[in-house]
Amino acid sequence: MTINRSKRANMGIETITNFVLALRHHDECRIGRRGADECIPERLLSGQSYDFRKKGQRLFLMTEEIPLVETFGNEHISRPLASIRMAEVTHFVENHEVWTRGRYLVVEVFKDDAVHFDGMIRIRC
């Protein structure tokens, strides 16, 4: 994750560049701490599209596959759970806070401990 701050006069734009999509475990939704779109779906299926929502103005790579990971908070994340492609990303304001929402397509769900990404490059096994 990279945070870019641009200051001009008294205005600033804070963006977060994400090289992965990090969502919470689906239990967070079940107990009411997070919305369904803030969590990894309970049944993650290849070929399916899912909605997501993250706090902040986030930038994602749109032309290549990126990892879907589980976040535990404080930038602690799991190994990639799946390879995804961003289909749509937009920013909006809710209660005076900037959010990012969108849709991603699951290319492949990983069911092993093999290495599937080398940095930002998808490895085909």
Side-chain angles (χ1 to χ4, degrees), residues 2 11 24 26 31 36-37 54 57 71 74 104 111 121:
T2 304
M11 299 170 54
R24 297 289 180 152
H26 58 266
I31 61 177
D37 55 359
K54 300 276 298 174
Q57 189 165 333
T71 180
N74 297 321
Y104 62 93
K111 299 185 187 299
I121 299 170

Side-chain angles (χ1 to χ4, degrees), residues 105-123:
L105 171 69
V106 177
V107 176
E108 183 180 352
V109 177
F110 304 136
K111 299 185 187 299
D112 58 26
D113 288 332
V115 175
H116 296 280
F117 284 87
D118 182 7
M120 290 298 303
I121 299 170
R122 176 68 170 24
I123 298 172

Side-chain angles (χ1 to χ4, degrees), residues 56-121:
Q57 189 165 333
R58 294 167 183 269
L59 306 174
F60 292 94
L61 183 62
M62 301 288 294
T63 58
E64 302 294 330
E65 293 178 35
I66 64 170
L68 172 67
V69 298
E70 180 181 342
T71 180
F72 308 106
N74 297 321
E75 298 183 15
H76 295 275
I77 59 173
S78 70
R79 293 189 64 172
L81 304 173
S83 179
I84 64 169
R85 282 189 182 270
M86 288 296 179
E88 177 183 330
V89 177
T90 189
H91 303 110
F92 66 101
V93 176
E94 185 176 275
N95 296 325
H96 305 288
E97 293 181 315
V98 177
W99 289 78
T100 301
R101 69 176 159 219
R103 189 174 229 12
Y104 62 93
L105 171 69
V106 177
V107 176
E108 183 180 352
V109 177
F110 304 136
K111 299 185 187 299
D112 58 26
D113 288 332
V115 175
H116 296 280
F117 284 87
D118 182 7
M120 290 298 303
I121 299 170

Side-chain angles (χ1 to χ4, degrees), residues 29-44:
C29 174
R30 189 176 308 132
I31 61 177
R33 281 196 277 215
R34 304 277 178 171
D37 55 359
E38 295 177 277
C39 299
I40 297 166
E42 192 166 359
R43 288 201 54 193
L44 191 64

